[in-house]
Amino acid sequence: MTTTRGPLFDPTFGAAEAAALVSDQAWVTAMLHTEAALSRAAAEHGVVDSVHARQVTEVASELGLPGAVDPADLGALSVAGGNPVIPLVKMLRAAVAEHGVPGSAVHPGATSQDILDTALMILTKRVLGVIRVSLDDAVAAGADLARRHRDTPTVARTLGQQALPTTFGAVAASWTAGLLRADEDVARVESSLSVQFGGAAGTSAALFPCGLEVADSLADQLGLARQTIPWHTDRTRIGEIASTLGVVAGAVGKPALDITLLASTEVAEVSEAAPGGSSAMPHKQNPVAAVAARAAAIRVPGLVSTILSAMAHDHQRASGAWHAEWETLTDLLRLTAGAAHRLAVSLSGLRANPEAMAGNLALTHGVLLAERVTTALGAHTDDARSIVTAACASGLPLESDSGITAFLTPADVRELLDPTGYLGHAGDIVDRVLVRVRARNEGA
């Protein structure tokens, strides 16, 4: 599966910042950064001369600057070997040779997958950081809405129909709780991103007896977790990253969809601070941030499926499944980061309309509280449900239905039909979520 990338669409879907972090140039720089760190790590264990390692680092830094290596040229040179590391290592070795550094100081004991996988972890860590910032903003905005509208009555809808009263605070608290859980998942994955280093077949034979120690030093150099053992064909880490991004997209897509529906003209219970217009209809006030967040999130599950489908790697180097991960995971990072960013924008300026909420609560003239009337009537007759069901079908006010008033006074029925008296634990739900938000903020 491929996605469209570039400056035309990325801003709309909120992916501009993340796109730069996983661009072709970012890939080149990350691979060179990994090669430099590997030379330094090898020098720590006497495999590479420390002076040579410093020179490799300087040259790699220069080659990693925009314009030093043309990604298009590198891509063309990658065709023969099937990955960009092979020609990039040749370039780096040729460049350090001009400074009298032997080729053995570059790429010591490594294979192409070590460099690509580790570079991917570097890029993933950067984008996960961006995603967490957006989730933090979205959580803060959602919590603020929940706090301000803790007791604002609104309609709860099930299967698209009015169901019972709730509060807008409880609705926002539910959004916030989902975003909090998603952020916790991202934090867990972020902390476990590890270096991948195992050499040609995963045994680090070329660096024996210090291969595992070099791998640990490489992780420390790059600020990644140590690997325990090489994971070149154990793709559970990649699957966890993709699955977590899918969960984030789902957590983002839920409020984005709700906001889009609640902002419709007929409902009008919320509106974005900066709604978008239409090229043809001057009256349109579209919830564009929520729409864009949802659009980006919708595209994520297919990419997650691709990653999960590619997890079974054959023997000690996958023939195709590994290659399928590179663009797929970077697209996943872009889209998830974009969705989270656009949702944060939507929530941060979201305006609730309590008047519209009250009007929608009154649309059914009390039928919304039929459950409550049934419960009260049940204390007097075993036919409560059938009596109230018939009364609702009649279209008449419940307080004037003779079947009901045979047991309850009209005044009692009118009191039962007050939505503010049947909000259950809506306020408690808000309070619990706000406690979690505070605990998260205090622990940050």
Side-chain angles (χ1 to χ4, degrees):
M1 177 177 290
T2 58
T3 60
T4 301
R5 300 194 233 172
L8 179 60
F9 293 112
D10 280 335
T12 295
F13 297 112
E17 181 178 4
L21 295 177
V22 292
S23 67
D24 291 344
Q25 177 60 54
W27 266 103
V28 172
T29 301
M31 288 187 288
L32 287 165
H33 187 48
T34 302
E35 291 286 4
L38 176 57
S39 293
R40 295 194 303 275
E44 290 182 19
H45 300 277
V47 177
V48 170
D49 184 278
S50 59
V51 174
H52 293 161
R54 286 195 296 273
Q55 192 65 61
V56 170
T57 298
E58 292 178 11
V59 173
S61 296
E62 293 172 359
L63 288 178
L65 295 173
V69 175
D70 186 343
D73 291 343
L74 184 62
L77 293 170
S78 303
V79 175
N83 73 74
V85 175
I86 298 171
L88 189 63
V89 168
K90 289 182 179 179
M91 291 181 187
L92 182 55
R93 282 177 171 158
V96 299
E98 296 179 5
H99 299 273
V101 177
S104 59
V106 175
H107 204 65
T111 191
S112 296
Q113 184 171 357
D114 294 333
I115 305 305
L116 267 169
D117 279 354
T118 300
L120 181 56
M121 294 303 98
I122 292 171
L123 299 181
T124 298
K125 186 172 184 178
R126 292 171 183 168
V127 179
L128 291 185
V130 170
I131 291 172
R132 294 201 67 197
V133 169
S134 292
L135 288 176
D136 185 63
D137 290 343
V139 165
D144 183 58
L145 286 168
R147 184 182 303 106
R148 287 190 287 115
H149 295 282
R150 178 187 185 277
D151 302 312
T152 302
T154 193
V155 173
R157 298 172 174 89
T158 62
L159 305 183
Q161 305 293 306
Q162 290 199 0
L164 289 173
T166 183
T167 68
F168 186 64
V171 172
S174 178
W175 299 341
T176 304
L179 295 168
L180 274 171
R181 287 182 61 84
D183 182 62
E184 290 168 356
D185 287 346
V186 175
R188 176 181 53 79
V189 169
E190 184 182 31
S191 66
S192 67
L193 293 174
S194 74
V195 70
Q196 153 53 34
F197 188 79
T203 61
S204 291
L207 292 179
F208 184 82
C210 62
L212 299 180
E213 287 76 12
V214 170
D216 289 344
S217 294
L218 176 60
D220 297 343
Q221 289 278 349
L222 294 172
L224 295 172
R226 294 184 174 188
Q227 66 181 8
T228 306
I229 64 171
W231 49 272
H232 55 305
T233 54
D234 167 17
R235 309 311 278 182
T236 51
R237 288 171 175 80
I238 302 297
E240 287 172 356
I241 294 168
S243 298
T244 297
L245 293 172
V247 168
V248 172
V252 165
K254 158 61 177 171
L257 175 58
D258 280 355
I259 290 167
T260 302
L261 295 173
L262 294 173
S264 64
T265 304
E266 293 80 2
V267 179
E269 292 180 358
V270 302
S271 60
E272 290 186 343
S278 165
S279 63
M281 296 169 284
H283 65 283
K284 292 296 291 295
Q285 296 288 300
N286 299 316
V288 291
V291 168
R294 184 173 183 237
I298 284 173
R299 297 157 68 191
V300 167
L303 295 168
V304 174
S305 176
T306 299
I307 292 291
L308 297 182
S309 297
M311 281 184 65
H313 283 209
D314 42 305
H315 301 302
Q316 280 66 57
R317 181 82 68 246
S319 51
W322 171 51
H323 307 70
E325 295 172 350
W326 310 337
E327 289 186 304
T328 306
L329 190 53
T330 50
D331 284 342
L332 261 174
L333 290 164
R334 285 175 47 259
L335 289 169
T336 307
H341 172 69
R342 292 299 270 159
L343 179 68
V345 171
S346 178
L347 286 174
S348 295
L350 198 67
R351 299 166 178 165
N353 186 346
E355 292 76 18
M357 294 176 188
N360 290 329
L361 279 167
L363 277 178
T364 62
H365 304 291
V367 170
L368 189 70
L369 279 299
E371 179 186 74
R372 190 183 190 194
V373 175
T374 301
T375 300
L377 198 61
H380 304 281
T381 173
D382 292 337
D383 294 328
R385 182 176 177 82
S386 60
I387 291 171
V388 176
T389 299
C392 291
S394 73
L396 298 173
L398 297 186
E399 65 266 30
S400 63
D401 183 85
S402 59
I404 295 175
T405 56
F407 301 96
L408 301 172
T409 69
D412 288 338
V413 176
R414 282 192 294 272
E415 183 177 352
L416 291 171
L417 297 181
D418 178 4
T420 63
Y422 202 63
L423 296 173
H425 287 287
D428 298 327
I429 289 168
V430 172
D431 295 341
R432 286 195 171 193
V433 172
L434 293 181
V435 166
R436 283 194 60 201
V437 172
R438 283 194 294 272
R440 172 183 181 272
N441 292 340
E442 291 170 359

